[in-house]
Amino acid sequence: VNSFELFYKEMVRFSIRKFDLPLLWFLTYEIGIRKARIITHAELKRRLLVFINDKDLSEFLNEFVRTLCEHVNNDVLSISQKYKEEGYRIYLSTAAPELYVLPFLSMLKFAFDEVICSPMPIPNVEWQENLNENKKQNTVSYLVRKGDELAVLITDHKDDLPLLRVKKEKNILAVREVCYGRA
């Protein structure tokens, strides 16, 4: 699943259930201007993360992380485990924000060696989501700093085309619980 879309939908449900009208109004307004294509998906994500930054959402985050765990592609984890047993270091590079990625990973039954994700934005400071070309640059430069190189890429989204084009041993496309490998 697109974890951020799920995050947004679950936050709307949470705001209704908790009768948090300011949050509900904000979410409704922001999704309205996104659907009208006034702002980009990345801008929607940035605005939401800035808006909720100083709010206590621990109850929501715990619920959301449990929901997100239900959507894990176990085939991908099995393949990752196989590579880990062969001595590969396993990195997760995702556009999802650290706000829920880090708690999600602590609940997951698989230990990634490292994670690269979208950072929490700082108001009035330029922010970039870990996506597309930016994700490629972030991932490759992070691997270089760690003394590693991209050997195998597992992805389920066209946004990873820049990473798919990086020379490596293998690309694996994970689609609907089925993985297709290509050397």
Side-chain angles (χ1 to χ4, degrees), residues 21 29 37-38 82 106 113:
L21 296 180
Y29 175 78
R37 298 185 187 274
I38 295 170
K82 176 184 145 288
S106 70
D113 293 297

Side-chain angles (χ1 to χ4, degrees), residues 25-41:
W25 182 89
F26 175 84
L27 294 168
T28 305
Y29 175 78
E30 292 297 317
I31 203 64
I33 62 174
R34 169 65 189 124
K35 293 294 181 185
R37 298 185 187 274
I38 295 170
I39 60 172
T40 65
H41 178 82

Side-chain angles (χ1 to χ4, degrees), residues 93 116 134-146 148-150 162-163 166:
S93 186
I116 306 156
N134 192 44
K135 183 176 185 178
K136 173 191 159 195
Q137 291 171 354
N138 290 341
T139 302
V140 171
S141 63
Y142 191 85
L143 291 172
V144 167
R145 282 195 311 273
K146 291 293 189 172
D148 286 333
E149 61 184 51
L150 185 56
L163 276 168
V166 172

Side-chain angles (χ1 to χ4, degrees), residues 2 4 13 15 22 47 51 53 57 63 70 73 77 79 82 93 103 117 122 128 130 138 146 161 166 176 179:
N2 179 320
F4 186 72
R13 287 186 184 105
S15 67
R47 288 179 181 204
F51 183 80
N53 190 42
L57 292 173
E63 291 174 14
E70 296 170 8
N73 185 328
L77 290 183
I79 292 168
K82 176 184 145 288
S93 186
C117 56
I122 299 167
Q128 287 188 330
N130 191 45
N138 290 341
K146 291 293 189 172
L161 279 172
V166 172
R176 295 188 205 158
C179 297

Side-chain angles (χ1 to χ4, degrees), residues 95-138:
E98 66 182 308
L99 174 72
Y100 63 80
V101 167
L102 301 180
F104 166 72
L105 292 177
S106 70
M107 201 178 263
L108 195 62
K109 291 181 171 80
F110 180 84
F112 287 91
D113 293 297
E114 302 282 344
V115 62
I116 306 156
C117 56
S118 294
M120 286 298 288
I122 299 167
N124 304 316
V125 173
E126 184 182 353
W127 177 82
Q128 287 188 330
E129 172 176 37
N130 191 45
L131 188 68
N132 293 318
E133 191 63 35
N134 192 44
K135 183 176 185 178
K136 173 191 159 195
Q137 291 171 354
N138 290 341

Side-chain angles (χ1 to χ4, degrees), residues 10-21 23-24:
E10 291 299 318
M11 186 165 278
V12 167
R13 287 186 184 105
F14 180 81
S15 67
I16 292 169
R17 197 171 77 243
K18 294 296 182 178
F19 206 64
D20 186 337
L21 296 180
L23 179 59
L24 180 60

